[in-house]
Amino acid sequence: MSQDTSFAASSETHTPEVTKSVAELKQIASQVRRDILRMVHAVNSGHPGGSLGCTDLLVALYFKVMKHTPEPFDLNGVGQDLFFLSNGHISPVFYSVLARSGYFPVGELATFRKLNSRLQGHPATHEHLPGIRVASGSLGQGLSVAIGAAQAKKLNGDNRTVFVLMGDGELEEGQVWEAAMYAPHHKVDNLIAFVDRNGQQIDGPTDKIGGLGDLRAKFEAFNWRVLETDGNDLDKLLPTLEEAQSLLGQGQPIMVLMDTQMGFGVDFMMGSHKWHGVAPNDEQLEKALQQLSVEQASDY
């Protein structure tokens, strides 16, 4: 296993806004998508669809937007921006981005979902994997956790931002709406939440399983500031992230409804719930990797 040296761990706090161009982010995203596919293929287990769809967001956050310190890892993240993954089943994209931004060796991605690995199918804190601040995967809880972290930062005089990602199917969990009501009432305005609005969940399209209706109108009715964007187009996603940051501190939490395609980047996976939790076989992996070119591919 070879380790990527181009994204080596650093002891310095990231100031990503001056580090990566859009072209560089797109190359990182392609590499991350290669990681995702190889990880789930190796153990014939995992969730590639949503991971591929959310790759651009996590790459943008960790390599461009967030102020964070990969090493040494501080579980409390004092003075740092925090990210919480609520839909923990898309752990492959989270692990890849954490590794390639310096939290742990890229070579460790090869242990995904194996016995005694720190890279469990759903992120877990008892493994002490750097970058993981909360166990996730029991859907519907991430927004509540993020709100608590954001309030803690306010109480501690820490002016950094908390980010959280949820799936759209996850919004069928009632706890999400309790949290959605709580945050505006308490003016949690150092929080930016994202919904991966890919229209798919494990059993099929969301509009057939449990229609979500007009999400913008719903969150606005709860007094959130709502933005919408294309989550698979960095040229549109990055300006939306800048706008979201400009709205912080104005008495309202921020919600970004992010339209993505499940399986984005791999033509035979895109837009289908069938790839929610199915690994590609040998032939499918090779075909998919051919679609994800990287100038200097650094597969682990």
Side-chain angles (χ1 to χ4, degrees), residues 287-300:
K287 182 178 178 182
L289 292 178
Q290 290 175 0
Q291 299 177 38
L292 296 167
S293 62
V294 179
E295 289 179 3
Q296 294 182 330
S298 178
D299 295 332
Y300 55 87

Side-chain angles (χ1 to χ4, degrees), residues 4 7 31-32 35 63 96-102 106 298-300:
D4 178 16
F7 307 119
Q31 178 66 75
V32 168
D35 291 344
F63 289 92
S96 173
V97 168
L98 287 175
R100 294 201 175 268
S101 60
V106 171
S298 178
D299 295 332
Y300 55 87

Side-chain angles (χ1 to χ4, degrees), residues 74-134:
D74 171 24
L75 186 63
N76 292 321
V78 176
Q80 302 180 52
D81 293 328
L82 304 182
F83 172 79
F84 293 100
L85 177 67
S86 186
N87 48 335
H89 56 276
I90 66 167
S91 62
V93 63
F94 196 19
Y95 293 147
S96 173
V97 168
L98 287 175
R100 294 201 175 268
S101 60
Y103 282 85
F104 56 86
V106 171
E108 194 170 352
L109 296 177
T111 71
F112 174 67
R113 279 183 175 246
K114 294 182 179 179
L115 291 176
N116 301 316
S117 171
R118 297 194 297 177
L119 279 64
Q120 294 297 305
H122 293 75
T125 53
H126 70 276
E127 304 293 347
H128 304 294
L129 184 67
I132 305 300
R133 292 189 165 87
V134 63

